[in-house]
Amino acid sequence: MARPGGRSARVQEAVHTAVRELEAEVGRDALTVPLIAARAGVTPSTVYRRWGDLGALLSDVAVEHLRPETEPEDLGGLSADLTAWAEQFLDEMASPPGRAYIRDALLGDPDGDNAGRCSAYAAEQIDVVLRRATARGEPRVPGTESVIDHVVAPMMYRILFRPGGLDPAYAQRLVADCLAAEQDRR
Amino acid sequence: MARPGGRSARVQEAVHTAVRELEAEVGRDALTVPLIAARAGVTPSTVYRRWGDLGALLSDVAVEHLRPETEPEDLGGLSADLTAWAEQFLDEMASPPGRAYIRDALLGDPDGDNAGRCSAYAAEQIDVVLRRATARGEPRVPGTESVIDHVVAPMMYRILFRPGGLDPAYAQRLVADCLAAEQDRR
C-alpha cells in the first residue's frame, strides 16, 4: 500500500498511531476523522483521500491489531502445537478488543480485502505448525484449508453469530476432531 | 419487539416495506433515514427513536431477508436432506444480496442480537432435518451444534473472510465429512 520510508508510509504510520492513541484516550466510539487528522498532524482531506471514510481507516487499523506478532510456539508435536495455537487464537479473538477489531475489520471493508488479510494471517500461522509437523515426519498432517474449515471457522462463526461456550476446551475439541478426521480419511 | 396489530407493529411493517422498496428503487447505498421515513409516512424521529440509526434499521431488515421461508425439503434420508439444505443455504448466503444482508445484519448490530437470530434460523432448519432422521430411525444422527460447527461455520467463514471455492461440491463435502465424523465417533 505504501512505499516504505516514503511520505505515504509516514502518513499511514502517523494516522494509525493517532487512531491507537485516541482509541485508548477517548474510546473508539468518540473517534472522528478531524480528531484523528489533528492528532496525526495531517489534514482531514488527506485522511479522506487515502481511506475514503472513518470506517475504512478503522478497518485498516483493526487488521494491524489482528496481525500475529510471533510464530506459533513449537511444543514438539502437531497436536500440542495446533491446540496451543487454537487456544491462543480463540482467547485473543473472543476477547472484547478482539471482537471489536474483527467487527471493525469487516465493517469498513466492503470489498473484503481486510477480511481476506485476517484469514491469511491465520492460514500463515497454521502453515507454520503443519510444515513443522511434516518436517518431523509426523503422519497424517491435515491440510491448511481443512484446519481453516474445522478449527478456525467454527471459532470465528461463534464469535460473530453464536456466542457462548467459547472456552479452551472448545478449541481443544475442535483440534482433536480435526486431527481424528484426518486419520480416518487416510 | 412489536405488539402484533398494534401501532408499533404497523410502524415496523411500514418502515421495513419502505426500506425494501427503496433498496430496489435507489439502491442500498442511497438510503437515508429521512428518505425511508417519508416513504413510510412516519417522521425521521420515529425511526431514530425506535432503531437508533440507519445501520440498526438495515440490520433488522437484513435479518428479515435472511429468515427462511420454508421448511427444509424432505428427500427421505438424512444425507440427502442435509446436503440439499446446505447447498441451498450456501447458494443464498454466498449470492451478492445474501452477502449484503449478512454484512448489514452484522454491521448495525453491536450487541449481536441480530447475528444470533441469523444463527438461530440456521439451527432451527437443521433441527428439522435431524429430527426427521431420528424419527425415521436413522443411526448416528449428529447433533445440531456439530452441524453448525462443521457445515454452517465453514461456509459462513469463507463467505465473510475467505471467498472462493464456494460451489455445491464444497457444501456436499462438508456434509459428507460431518456425517462420516459422526460415524467414526460412535
Side-chain angles (χ1 to χ4, degrees), chain A residues 157 160-162, chain B residues 59-68 85 89 93 98 101-106 109 112-126 148 152 156:
Chain A
Y157 176 81
L160 285 169
F161 291 97
R162 203 169 179 80
Chain B
S59 180
D60 283 355
V61 173
V63 170
E64 288 307 310
H65 280 290
L66 295 169
R67 180 202 295 273
W85 178 82
F89 180 85
M93 296 297 167
Y101 293 137
I102 293 166
R103 281 183 55 80
D104 278 345
L106 284 174
D109 181 43
D113 291 352
N114 283 343
R117 283 173 62 197
C118 295
S119 185
Y121 291 152
E124 288 159 13
Q125 299 275 94
I126 292 161
I148 293 279
V152 173
M156 290 294 279

Side-chain angles (χ1 to χ4, degrees), chain A residues 80-92:
Chain A
D81 286 3
L82 198 54
T83 301
W85 177 82
E87 288 179 4
Q88 186 187 349
F89 180 86
L90 180 59
D91 184 58
E92 290 173 359

Side-chain angles (χ1 to χ4, degrees), chain A residues 12-186:
Chain A
Q12 174 171 329
E13 176 53 30
V15 170
H16 278 214
T17 300
V19 170
R20 285 191 295 268
E21 291 175 358
L22 290 166
E23 277 175 337
E25 293 169 27
V26 303
R28 180 210 171 292
D29 293 345
L31 296 180
T32 65
V33 167
L35 189 66
I36 293 163
R39 174 64 63 99
V42 302
T43 63
S45 64
T46 299
V47 174
Y48 289 119
R49 197 162 51 241
R50 173 154 188 163
W51 280 278
D53 62 20
L54 178 63
L57 169 57
L58 293 180
S59 180
D60 283 354
V61 173
V63 171
E64 288 307 310
H65 281 289
L66 295 170
R67 179 201 296 272
E69 282 156 7
T70 59
E71 283 218 328
E73 196 177 1
D74 186 345
L75 299 166
L78 171 58
S79 175
D81 286 3
L82 198 54
T83 301
W85 177 82
E87 288 179 4
Q88 186 187 349
F89 180 86
L90 180 59
D91 184 58
E92 290 173 359
M93 296 296 166
S95 68
R99 291 171 187 268
Y101 293 135
I102 293 165
R103 281 183 54 79
D104 279 344
L106 284 173
L107 272 52
D109 181 43
D111 57 9
D113 291 351
N114 282 343
R117 282 173 62 197
C118 294
S119 186
Y121 291 151
E124 289 159 12
Q125 298 261 302
I126 292 162
D127 278 337
V128 170
V129 168
L130 300 181
R131 277 199 305 271
R132 272 188 205 140
T134 303
R136 287 187 203 106
E138 294 192 51
R140 298 178 294 276
V141 176
T144 298
E145 295 304 321
S146 171
V147 177
I148 292 280
D149 279 335
H150 299 294
V151 177
V152 173
M155 295 192 291
M156 290 295 280
Y157 176 81
R158 289 182 184 272
I159 286 168
L160 285 169
F161 291 97
R162 203 169 179 80
L166 291 170
D167 53 16
Y170 178 65
Q172 293 157 14
R173 191 169 70 253
L174 290 173
V175 170
D177 290 351
C178 179
L179 297 179
E182 191 61 25
Q183 301 209 356
D184 301 321
R185 195 168 287 123
R186 303 310 175 84

